[in-house]
Amino acid sequence: MDKAQQVEVPSTGDKVVKSDAEWRAQLSPDEFKIARRAGTERAFTGEYWDTKTKGVYNCRCCGTPLFDSETKYDSGTGWPSFTEPVNTDAVATKQDRSWFMVRTEVLCARCDAHLGHVFPDGPEPTGLRFCLNSASLDLEPEE
Ligand code: FE
C-alpha cells in the first residue's frame, strides 16, 4: 500500500500527525521530500550549513525547538551539524539500513520529521555529530 493511501490518523496527545496532503500544502516540494520522505539535501546547498546566526533551530514541520546555535559547529561536511539537541526528548532515533550502511536516523519526536543522522565522530562535550538537513529546520534568530 502506498503511503499516500494510508488512513489518516488524528492527532493524539502532543504528537503532531498530518496526512501527506496536509504536509505537501505546508512544505515546499524539497522540504516534503527531505522531511517527510527521508531525503537528503546536497552538501553545501542547504540554507544553514554555514550559518553562524545565534538562535534556535525549530522543526520546519511542527515548530518544536530542536537544536540551539550554541551547539552548532563547522563539521566541514556541508550540512548543519550540532553536538546535541536542546533536550533529549526533542528528538528520536531509529536504525537506518538504507544505502548498504547502518546509520542512526534522527527524527523530530513530535511529528516524526526526518532531520538527518547522528554519528559518533563529533567534538566535545558529547562526541556526537548530529548531521542535519537545513530543509527540515527553521532558524528562529535571537532577538
Ligand atoms: Fe516536528
Side-chain angles (χ1 to χ4, degrees):
M1 186 198 227
D2 188 85
K3 278 203 169 175
Q5 296 172 312
Q6 282 178 9
V7 179
E8 281 187 37
V9 182
S11 297
T12 53
D14 197 39
K15 270 278 193 186
V16 172
V17 181
K18 294 186 182 185
S19 67
D20 280 346
E22 287 174 301
W23 287 126
R24 281 186 198 279
Q26 174 189 333
L27 303 168
S28 75
D30 277 349
E31 289 163 6
F32 180 85
K33 196 164 66 184
I34 292 164
R36 308 312 315 179
R37 287 292 182 273
T40 302
E41 67 200 13
R42 285 171 50 226
F44 304 101
T45 65
E47 191 178 350
Y48 301 130
W49 72 271
D50 199 25
T51 301
K52 309 275 195 298
T53 308
K54 284 184 191 294
V56 174
Y57 288 83
N58 297 327
C59 177
R60 177 88 53 137
C61 293
C62 75
T64 300
L66 299 177
F67 291 87
D68 194 293
S69 60
E70 290 296 308
T71 69
K72 190 174 189 288
Y73 74 101
D74 185 2
S75 63
T77 60
W79 287 284
S81 303
F82 302 80
T83 52
E84 60 188 318
V86 288
N87 66 67
T88 48
D89 292 340
V91 299
T93 56
K94 174 169 117 179
Q95 195 181 73
D96 174 3
R97 293 185 155 274
S98 65
W99 302 103
F100 310 102
M101 290 180 273
V102 181
R103 293 176 296 171
T104 304
E105 182 184 5
V106 183
L107 306 106
C108 171
R110 191 162 172 229
C111 78
D112 295 331
H114 170 79
L115 305 175
H117 293 87
V118 58
F119 301 92
D121 59 9
E124 294 301 313
T126 62
L128 297 174
R129 171 170 58 100
F130 287 82
C131 188
L132 309 181
N133 291 282
S134 304
S136 300
L137 302 171
D138 182 24
L139 173 60
E140 192 177 318
E142 228 172 62
E143 294 284 301

